[in-house]
Amino acid sequence: MKRNWLNYLPTIFVICIIVSLLAYNVQGNTVQMNYTQFESLSKHATFDDSNLDINDTVITVSGTYDDTHKKGHDPVEYSVIVPNTDENINWLKETLSKDGGSITINNPHSGDIWVNLLAQFLPFLIVAIFFYYMFSRMGGGSSQNKAFEFAKSRANMEQNVKTRFKDVAGCEEEKEEVKEIIDYLRSPKKFTDMGAHIPKGILMVGPPGTGKTLLAKAVAGEANVPFFSISGSDFVEMFVGTGASRVRDMFKNAQKAAPCIIFIDEIDAVGRQRGAGMGGGNDEREQTLNQLLVEMDGMTDNSGIVVIAATNRPDILDPALLRSGRFDRRITVTLPDIRGREEILKVHARNKKLAPDVSLHNLAQRCPGFSGADLANVLNEGAILAVRNKEHQITMDDLDEAIDRVMMGPAKKSKKYNEMDKKLVAYHEAGHAVIGLKLEDAEKVQKVTIIPRGEAGGYNLMTPKEEKYFHRKSELLAQITGLLGGRTAEELVYGEVSAGAVNDIEQLTKIAKNMVRVYGMSSLGPIQYADPQGNVFLGRDYTQGGSYSEGVAGEIDKEVREIVHQCEVKCRKILTDNRDLLDLIAKNLYEHETLTNEEIMNLMNYGELKNPNQKVEEPSLPPVPDQTTEKQEPEKEEKEEDEPKGIDQKDLDDAFNELTKRKD
């Protein structure tokens, strides 16, 4: 890694100090004297070699001398400056050469004046550079954190964005919504001629990993305009006014590069509702928001700057930020459906070496609820597993294991059950599987395993038979019944329950509470008793009282218990009626540890892991012949070749009889 030359300045500074000290020590042996002292010394001293530097006004005399008053001492170096007059020049020549000393006269103009000036000003220059370097490093070494650039914008500008719409899959409707932005940035005149105003801001809302940032970047790539990207937290600092200054600087830079796109990720970090702080608002954050509102003022026309923001908490944003004229358009980027997941897998599989048996459509069916980031992670985990297994291609088994790793974590194969626990887990997972097979509205069982993953001792991979936007009451009841399958199977077989169903109980309780409090699917009627999003904003919701009375709370608890009780009764009946299937699946799980959908269906239909009616075509390889076969086979072929293929006697008799009948 190349280091900046400024990093060497402290070392250079220390070296210069050492050299200066050494030069000072060298000069410290030279006796500096004035003209009077030198005149007194010249009366009794003996001068050796001397140098005269004659300037316009003064003469610099240097050399060595022996003091006759001090016997036994070494020659002493001296230096003196005398006025430049004719009398002094003659006196110096006479005095310095009286004892046979030599005199050297130097021309002061023969040396390089720039070298002399540099020698004089070099120490000051080094000190100045050192202090500038120290001040520039006060911000932590980053070019964006320097002391003189503290209030500058931290937005990163990318000129040539390579991302295009072909790199964004699974959100076709969302891409249609932003095409007008691309047309405006390319040719704004046709919009202004029609009297249309392009939205100043677009707010992208959706779960994490659905591709909001990627879509915003693709808009800049398709429009071929600069792309400024920054996070909402980059505006907030401990110094009041810094965030507002950065907002002003960001829009100032964007105006110079217009037309362009400003992308603010996680805008809820700076755009939360004002006046909602606990014990007082955050002045720095609110001032930053106020400046952002001013820069996005809806009273002026668009100056070629389109602001795109992303968040997964639109409910806590300030209403002034969401009004028309600022963020005019809201685009909801949802989780992809099966077709979208397949398209996303195709995009991320471009540089992957997939085996011929890999079906991206089947893989998409196994990943309901996965975001684009999750699907990319599945393919990446599959590639890593293929490398780990020293394979040349990514197989379907690698991708199947990758799905399990993304959902539940790596398999803990070293963790071994004792016999009792292994049978218990087998019956628990078999209970889930039986409910999925026998209950009409239940989800489809794709895979059952008792290999521990994460905090779970085993798990069922169950996917919906078809993806829907809304769930009916019967489907929600079927989900609760399926979640109760493991716990009910344990109680049915062993007469007691274990703590392994804690995650199932948590999920079914959440579904049952939503049915009563949010969806109105109980005898309490279509009344909502809770926030459907379930997200609490402390600054706004903490001080609010409950939305229902204590009596209603008791009725809600009663309805939740009634829903769970009805599902538990139904679950127990299904498992009791299908006890043989429960034992069969649990037995095979105990032996094989993992069962696929095909194997489970074979157990239900045929009682075996493999379909006995399915004929497996084996390759017809010729047997190894012995000596007898080698001798008889050619004779048989020759005999077949020698057989006549013409008209035999029987054919002639039949023809004769036929002619006789016709004659009669």
Side-chain angles (χ1 to χ4, degrees):
M1 182 179 62
K2 296 182 178 180
R3 296 182 60 187
N4 194 332
W5 66 273
L6 290 175
N7 296 332
Y8 295 98
L9 279 182
T11 304
I12 298 175
F13 183 74
V14 173
I15 293 175
C16 292
I17 291 177
I18 295 175
V19 171
S20 301
L21 291 176
L22 293 175
Y24 177 78
N25 292 333
V26 172
Q27 294 179 359
N29 297 328
T30 302
V31 178
Q32 301 289 338
M33 59 183 69
N34 54 33
Y35 178 71
T36 305
Q37 293 174 341
F38 179 71
E39 186 178 10
S40 301
L41 179 65
S42 63
K43 296 179 181 179
H44 56 79
T46 301
F47 295 95
D48 297 330
D49 299 335
S50 301
N51 296 316
L52 298 181
D53 294 330
I54 303 176
N55 294 311
D56 294 336
T57 58
V58 295
I59 302 173
T60 303
V61 183
S62 60
T64 58
Y65 70 89
D66 293 327
D67 194 351
T68 56
H69 293 171
K70 299 179 181 179
K71 303 295 183 181
H73 288 275
D74 296 332
V76 180
E77 295 183 2
Y78 72 96
S79 177
V80 64
I81 297 176
V82 299
N84 184 2
T85 61
D86 294 338
E87 296 178 357
N88 286 339
I89 292 175
N90 295 331
W91 175 74
L92 287 173
K93 291 180 179 180
E94 180 181 354
T95 303
L96 297 176
S97 62
K98 64 180 181 179
D99 297 321
S102 61
I103 300 174
T104 302
I105 300 176
N106 300 321
N107 185 3
H109 301 288
S110 62
D112 192 351
I113 187 173
W114 297 109
V115 175
N116 296 332
L117 291 175
L118 181 62
Q120 293 178 6
F121 292 101
L122 181 61
F124 300 99
L125 180 63
I126 292 176
V127 172
I129 294 176
F130 174 76
F131 280 105
Y132 173 78
Y133 169 78
M134 294 301 296
F135 277 112
S136 65
R137 298 283 290 184
M138 288 178 63
S142 175
S143 60
Q144 297 177 347
N145 259 341
K146 294 182 179 180
F148 301 104
E149 299 181 0
F150 188 74
K152 298 295 184 181
S153 171
R154 293 188 177 184
N156 298 321
M157 185 183 72
E158 189 173 351
Q159 286 283 0
N160 299 319
V161 181
K162 303 298 182 183
T163 307
R164 297 293 186 270
F165 275 168
K166 64 181 181 180
D167 302 318
V168 185
C171 50
E172 299 303 323
E173 293 81 4
E174 290 79 0
K175 287 191 283 189
E176 290 293 332
E177 289 293 325
V178 296
K179 282 186 177 180
E180 291 88 355
I181 305 298
I182 299 173
D183 294 338
Y184 171 79
L185 293 174
R186 286 178 176 175
S187 55
K189 189 175 185 299
K190 64 180 182 181
F191 288 88
T192 56
D193 293 343
M194 191 62 65
H197 299 281
I198 203 69
K200 277 194 171 183
I202 298 177
L203 182 65
M204 292 188 178
V205 181
T210 50
K212 300 183 289 294
T213 303
L214 188 64
L215 182 59
K217 203 168 185 179
V219 174
E222 291 288 342
N224 194 21
V225 295
F227 182 73
F228 291 84
S229 61
I230 192 171
S231 175
S233 60
D234 289 334
F235 294 113
V236 182
E237 290 287 350
M238 63 179 295
F239 302 106
V240 177
T242 302
S245 177
R246 289 178 179 175
V247 171
R248 288 191 295 268
D249 186 68
M250 180 181 67
F251 277 89
K252 181 179 179 181
N253 296 334
Q255 289 175 357
K256 295 178 182 178
C260 64
I261 291 177
I262 295 178
F263 177 70
I264 305 175
D265 196 11
E266 305 297 342
I267 194 174
D268 52 278
V270 69
R272 293 189 177 186
Q273 296 181 11
R274 290 168 291 182
M278 300 294 294
N282 185 338
D283 292 338
E284 162 60 10
R285 182 185 57 79
E286 292 190 0
Q287 287 190 20
T288 305
L289 176 58
N290 292 334
Q291 185 63 43
L292 184 61
L293 296 175
V294 171
E295 295 292 343
M296 296 184 65
D297 184 18
M299 297 298 295
T300 58
D301 293 335
N302 196 311
S303 58
I305 302 174
V306 178
V307 181
I308 301 178
T311 181
N312 50 15
R313 292 294 308 273
D315 57 307
I316 66 175
L317 295 180
D318 194 88
L321 195 64
L322 300 178
R323 76 164 176 84
S324 299
R326 291 196 174 103
F327 283 104
D328 305 86
R329 184 175 297 180
R330 178 184 294 191
I331 299 177
T332 302
V333 186
T334 58
L335 294 172
D337 56 6
I338 181 172
R339 184 181 301 176
R341 292 196 298 270
E342 185 176 356
E343 295 298 324
I344 293 173
L345 288 172
K346 289 180 180 179
V347 171
H348 292 291
R350 293 173 182 172
N351 60 341
K352 303 291 190 304
K353 296 181 179 179
L354 301 179
D357 64 333
V358 173
S359 172
L360 296 181
H361 178 74
N362 294 338
L363 188 64
Q365 286 182 330
R366 302 183 188 182
C367 305
F370 277 37
S371 64
D374 295 330
L375 295 172
N377 194 19
V378 167
L379 290 178
N380 185 59
E381 288 289 342
I384 293 175
L385 290 173
V387 174
R388 182 183 301 175
N389 298 331
K390 298 181 180 179
E391 300 170 348
H392 299 289
Q393 292 178 324
I394 304 173
T395 63
M396 201 65 187
D397 293 336
D398 296 329
L399 296 175
D400 187 60
E401 174 66 18
I403 294 175
D404 296 341
R405 293 172 67 91
V406 172
M407 293 179 60
M408 305 293 295
K412 298 181 179 179
K413 298 181 179 180
S414 60
K415 183 179 180 181
K416 299 297 182 182
Y417 293 115
N418 56 39
E419 294 298 322
M420 182 63 185
D421 289 344
K422 189 173 182 180
K423 290 181 181 179
L424 180 67
V425 175
Y427 271 104
H428 181 101
E429 302 302 334
H432 290 302
V434 170
I435 299 298
L437 293 172
K438 295 299 181 179
L439 192 59
E440 181 180 357
D441 293 320
E443 295 181 339
K444 182 179 179 182
V445 181
Q446 293 286 355
K447 182 180 179 181
V448 184
T449 179
I450 60 174
I451 299 175
R453 287 182 182 272
E455 298 181 357
Y459 82 101
N460 273 266
L461 177 59
M462 305 180 72
T463 60
K465 297 176 182 178
E466 58 179 351
E467 297 187 20
K468 301 178 180 180
Y469 287 102
F470 304 103
H471 292 284
R472 293 179 285 111
K473 181 179 179 180
S474 59
E475 293 174 346
L476 296 175
L477 292 175
Q479 290 184 20
I480 297 176
T481 306
L483 291 169
L484 286 168
R487 184 179 186 274
T488 306
E490 294 177 13
E491 187 177 5
L492 186 64
V493 175
Y494 294 99
E496 61 178 352
V497 295
S498 68
V502 57
N503 189 33
D504 299 333
I505 295 175
E506 179 183 357
Q507 294 184 44
L508 68 88
T509 303
K510 182 178 179 181
I511 296 174
K513 285 185 176 181
N514 285 336
M515 290 178 64
V516 178
R517 300 172 57 190
V518 180
Y519 307 139
M521 296 179 179
S522 68
S523 61
L524 296 180
I527 301 175
Q528 191 174 92
Y529 296 102
D531 182 9
Q533 297 181 356
N535 296 322
V536 178
F537 181 35
L538 294 179
R540 177 192 61 201
D541 303 332
Y542 182 76
T543 57
Q544 294 183 358
S547 57
Y548 47 84
S549 63
E550 294 182 1
V552 174
E555 294 182 12
I556 290 174
D557 294 338
K558 182 179 179 180
E559 290 292 332
V560 171
R561 287 196 300 269
E562 181 63 24
I563 290 175
V564 176
H565 176 69
Q566 292 178 3
C567 293
E568 187 177 13
V569 172
K570 188 173 184 178
C571 178
R572 184 180 298 275
K573 184 178 185 305
I574 294 175
L575 293 180
T576 303
D577 296 342
N578 298 274
R579 177 61 187 270
D580 295 338
L581 180 60
L582 176 67
D583 295 335
L584 182 61
I585 295 178
K587 177 183 177 183
N588 284 271
L589 266 178
Y590 180 82
E591 295 177 357
H592 303 283
E593 294 186 343
T594 300
L595 297 178
T596 62
N597 172 262
E598 182 181 1
E599 293 172 340
I600 294 174
M601 296 302 296
N602 290 336
L603 288 175
M604 183 179 67
N605 296 327
Y606 310 107
E608 301 177 9
L609 289 178
K610 296 183 179 180
N611 185 356
N613 299 325
Q614 184 177 3
K615 297 181 179 179
V616 180
E617 296 183 0
E618 297 181 357
S620 57
L621 297 176
V624 180
D626 53 10
Q627 296 180 354
T628 305
T629 308
E630 291 179 356
K631 292 181 180 180
Q632 292 179 354
E633 193 68 26
E635 293 178 358
K636 183 178 180 181
E637 294 178 358
E638 291 177 0
K639 184 177 180 181
E640 291 178 353
E641 291 178 358
D642 294 337
E643 289 182 355
K645 298 181 180 179
I647 303 174
D648 55 7
Q649 186 63 35
K650 185 176 181 299
D651 296 332
L652 292 174
D653 294 339
D654 293 338
F656 179 78
N657 295 332
E658 182 68 19
L659 290 174
T660 304
K661 291 179 181 179
R662 291 181 181 179
K663 185 176 180 180
D664 293 338

